[in-house]
Amino acid sequence: IDTTPRLFGMPLKYVSLITLAIQNAALALIMHYSRISTPPDKKYSAATAVLLVELLKGSISFCIAYHRVDEHGARTQPPQQQNFPRKAAKEGFLGDVCRRVGCVTERLGRLRREVFSPDCWKLSIPAILYVIQNNLQYIAASNLSAATFQVTYQMKILTTAFFSVVLLRRQLSRAKWASLCALALGVGIVQIQSGDAGAKVGGGGMLEGASEMHPLTGLTAVLCACFTSGLAGVYFEMVLKGSHADLWVRNVQLSLFSIVPALVPIFVSPSSFSPSSSPSTHSSSPPPSPPSPSTHGILQTAFANFTPSAYLTILTQVLGGLLTAIVIKHADNILKGFATSLSIILAFLVGMLAFGERATAGFVGGAGVVLVATWVYNRGEGARREGSGSGREVVVFD
Ligand code: C5P
């Protein structure tokens, strides 16, 4: 029996991979635009954005986990429900309300036990890594063109493969290693040829003047983010597939452990993340007075300058986080990397259609290499991993 989960008749694995590719392309453009379109003294706080993403993602995951709690929990009816129709008729409206409240309490109790399970601490490691990574992404997007950021960030495919082999003891065939190298090559070709045109596709070309960029800072941030992406992604996969715990419960745990590290930069040093912190804007004027130490003052600073594009960035990141979790569950981290590398091509195509960019021979060649590498990596994958999406596959790690 084919137990592969499907959406609109297509395996969820492919739907989520395609959607993730589109989300990645959109995020690089929107995040870059949101950071670069305003002068430095009007930038929204990246630390607050990271916190909001975690809160929103955690809340959505909690709702899904609550909805699913009966599916994977005990299926026996609670005692007060067993002869409900007769009892409810007897007790009327009040009885009905009491029964519903009892049901909710019972479900919440079961969910609480799952979320605070003895092994929940394992999620603290990817949670901290992801918070660092999400902050680094903002630094990179503020200092590199969208295209350069997007292409350089693809190096996370190699760090992911490395950690998959080291932590998951995953064995990659020679063909898969070759396709990984080909992918890096394809990405490199796209990057070299995209140079100037890429910056325009990234939406940065006409906006670079609004905010100064520091390529070395951006490059350092993106390389560190590649490292955390590989490690956190593979670690999350290891925890997820090493137990029968529900994906959405794991996501709630991840968000819960993210809250404290996400709050630290806001509360410890609000001025360094605040819009008034840029040294360039105050070079000729007296230094700004230190922000109010009160919680109210910190919150005011933290939520200043949130433009519609900032909120759109946050929503796109939330979508990306949820999709990433689904992809890691139903496919794996390396396949996720291939999907996101396709997003470069997607972003370029959007640039061609929307901004009239012309595809160069280098781009077509690089994109072709990426597509062939993706196809080679995927060959035979479907048959071998059959059933992995059923939720019953448990990989044992020692
Ligand atoms: O760049 P990368 O693919 O590593 O980014 C993954 C993103 O997905 C991060 O922003 C991370 O916070 C998010 N994520 C999530 N839930 C998971 C796994 C990743 O929100 N279970």
Side-chain angles (χ1 to χ4, degrees):
I1 303 164
D2 182 9
T3 53
T4 314
R6 286 173 185 274
L7 197 67
F8 308 121
M10 244 173 105
L12 188 57
K13 170 178 164 178
Y14 294 111
V15 177
S16 51
L17 282 168
I18 293 167
T19 322
L20 187 67
I22 298 170
Q23 180 274 342
N24 258 253
L27 181 64
L29 300 173
I30 298 168
M31 186 187 266
H32 180 75
Y33 175 83
S34 74
R35 297 303 282 169
I36 217 81
S37 60
T38 53
D41 60 336
K42 288 275 181 281
K43 270 197 195 352
Y44 63 92
S45 157
T48 308
V50 171
L51 177 69
L52 289 179
V53 168
E54 287 308 332
L55 291 177
L56 213 56
K57 232 167 34 183
S59 309
I60 295 172
S61 300
F62 178 85
C63 292
I64 301 175
Y66 174 82
H67 179 73
R68 286 165 54 88
V69 79
D70 275 352
E71 280 177 38
H72 51 86
R75 286 182 179 275
T76 48
Q77 278 186 322
Q80 69 268 35
Q81 246 184 301
Q82 278 164 5
N83 42 19
F84 160 63
R86 193 161 45 83
K87 271 185 116 184
K90 210 192 281 176
E91 293 165 17
F93 176 71
L94 207 61
D96 190 23
V97 169
C98 286
R99 185 190 66 81
R100 279 171 202 275
V101 170
C103 249
V104 171
T105 318
E106 199 257 343
R107 272 179 133 184
L108 283 176
R110 210 186 292 168
L111 191 54
R112 184 179 54 79
R113 283 192 294 280
E114 283 188 41
V115 169
F116 296 103
S117 60
D119 71 344
C120 71
W121 63 269
K122 288 180 181 169
L123 274 295
S124 61
I125 295 165
I128 293 169
L129 288 170
Y130 274 138
V131 168
I132 296 172
Q133 175 184 328
N134 292 338
N135 277 290
L136 286 171
Q137 272 186 340
Y138 278 95
I139 298 176
S142 310
N143 291 292
L144 296 172
S145 77
T148 310
F149 165 57
Q150 205 182 13
V151 175
T152 319
Y153 197 30
Q154 296 314 307
M155 295 310 285
K156 68 185 175 183
I157 296 172
L158 296 182
T159 57
T160 304
F162 172 77
F163 286 115
S164 296
V165 170
V166 172
L167 292 180
L168 296 178
R169 314 250 170 98
R170 189 162 279 158
Q171 290 195 340
L172 299 181
S173 63
R174 254 183 285 168
K176 285 192 193 284
W177 277 117
S179 57
L180 278 171
C181 293
L183 179 81
L185 184 76
V187 165
I189 296 171
V190 171
Q191 178 166 39
I192 290 165
Q193 72 77 44
S194 66
D196 301 335
K200 283 184 205 129
V201 170
M206 57 220 163
L207 295 162
E208 307 304 342
S211 194
E212 201 185 330
M213 298 204 282
H214 305 279
L216 194 63
T217 309
L219 191 66
T220 311
V222 88
L223 290 178
C224 293
C226 288
F227 177 83
T228 54
S229 170
L231 181 55
V234 171
Y235 197 95
F236 182 77
E237 185 177 349
M238 190 168 90
V239 174
L240 187 69
K241 293 182 177 169
S243 79
H244 285 286
D246 186 60
L247 167 69
W248 300 102
V249 170
R250 289 298 193 205
N251 258 6
V252 173
Q253 294 170 333
L254 193 69
S255 285
L256 282 178
F257 279 112
S258 300
I259 290 174
V260 172
L263 275 171
V264 169
I266 298 175
F267 279 89
V268 169
S269 178
S271 59
S272 64
F273 290 84
S274 77
S276 58
S277 66
S278 173
S280 61
T281 53
H282 300 289
S283 49
S284 58
S285 53
S289 54
S292 160
S294 69
T295 309
H296 179 70
I298 291 172
L299 286 180
Q300 241 182 357
T301 311
F303 285 92
N305 299 326
F306 269 79
T307 54
S309 65
Y311 286 114
L312 195 57
T313 304
I314 289 172
L315 290 180
T316 315
Q317 273 201 307
V318 170
L319 177 69
L322 299 174
L323 283 170
T324 300
I326 296 173
V327 164
I328 292 177
K329 163 115 182 138
H330 296 287
D332 62 48
N333 268 293
I334 303 181
L335 270 177
K336 168 179 147 280
F338 278 88
T340 54
S341 70
L342 292 180
S343 69
I344 300 169
I345 298 166
L346 215 63
F348 203 93
L349 290 180
V350 170
M352 268 172 40
L353 294 174
F355 306 111
E357 298 292 332
R358 287 172 54 154
T360 60
F363 174 77
V364 174
V369 172
V370 169
L371 287 172
V372 171
T374 307
W375 178 74
V376 171
Y377 189 89
N378 266 305
R379 240 175 1 157
E381 191 77 0
R384 215 166 41 74
R385 293 183 61 84
E386 199 63 54
S388 65
S390 65
R392 276 184 276 116
E393 180 195 58
V394 173
V395 184
V396 180
F397 305 103
D398 43 26

